[in-house]
Amino acid sequence: MWSRRQGHLRPTVCGVEELRRRRREQEAALRKARREQQLVSKRLLREDAPEEAGEGCVAAILGEAESPHVAVLEALGYALSQLLQAKEAPEKIIPSSILASTLPQHMLQMLQPGPKLNPGVAVEFAWCLHYIICSQVSNPLLIGHGALSTLGLLLLDLAGAVQRTEDAGLELLACPVLRCLSNLLTEAAVETVGGQMQLRDERVVAALFILLQFFFQKQPSLLPEGLWLLNNLTANSPSFCTSLLSLDLIEPLLQLLPVSNVVSVMVLTVLCNVAEKGPAYCQRLWPGPLLPTLLHTLAFSDTEVVGQSLELLHLLFLYQPEAVQVFLQQSGLQALERHQEEAQLQDRVYALRQTALQG
């Protein structure tokens, strides 16, 4: 089936609200930058792609009573995906020709899991949906049409496929699906139209980890896509953080740290999402391999990795005071000393050191 293709801390002890405020500002900036980066996709425009794909014709073909030939649908999806990457698409094409038609519903139908799902067709229309979402023209409309629910079910289906086959072609569909979900979850409308409820299921977290393990072994370049989704799931949702803990997924998450600095930062950010939910969540993180791991990441030379490690340590110290004593006993202050002269880190190092000494 799948054979187809920062702000700085001031030199004082920071409170919970200050940490949360700074993290929200950082998250907003990262999401904006990521969305703009994704709008220019890895799938480059082809010079021979038609400048006008006849959007009305597309809707007519997809709306015919007689799921058209698979090759026609795949070609149609590819042509539409090229059109949606045009510079004028967010202003001229998507609002009037796409969202004002029945195309979104038909696209979501093409992504419904089941025996009629064709991987090649699904890949093309998943990319189409990705470009529409990145344009931010009317994502609440897509959420209202059940986009989160459809994509969530497709995520479960992909995880099942991973367990049945080792076909490397799976990532062709996984990539746009993960991006669509990640970007939709950043919308304020997710809560107002009940979007979170469409994904409120720990099976989504379990499925995502199955995919992360697959990427770890077969396609490490896709790990940031999966981790970005995990970040957006856990950022404002205690229930998804609870799923992460109840499924014992903290240690598998920590095992991804050596892959790259980018992956390390995202893993640490997800753990910060869990820790900031309060004492009950930090108690579940403690004891275990977390503190030894953080002492190890403090030895990294990458400023972002160290910065996120400091952030997570600060949350642990605030909510789990016994972590302070273990940190001191395991030469934590010496680990901090190597960064105290680094301009981007020295304020946070000082703040963490003061918290540890006062604890």
Side-chain angles (χ1 to χ4, degrees), residues 24-69:
R24 292 293 176 267
E25 291 177 353
Q26 183 184 36
E27 282 281 305
L30 285 173
R31 286 172 174 172
K32 182 176 184 295
R34 183 174 175 83
R35 189 181 294 111
E36 290 173 351
Q37 178 186 11
Q38 287 183 351
L39 194 53
V40 181
S41 171
K42 295 177 183 176
R43 306 181 87 215
L44 300 177
L45 286 167
R46 286 179 47 173
E47 292 182 359
D48 59 349
E51 294 182 3
E52 296 182 0
E55 301 86 7
C57 179
V58 172
I61 293 175
L62 292 179
E64 288 179 358
E66 298 183 0
S67 106
H69 193 280

Side-chain angles (χ1 to χ4, degrees), residues 181-197:
L181 279 169
S182 297
N183 288 326
L184 280 179
L185 285 171
T186 66
E187 294 292 328
V190 168
E191 292 295 339
T192 59
V193 301
Q196 279 281 15
M197 293 301 297

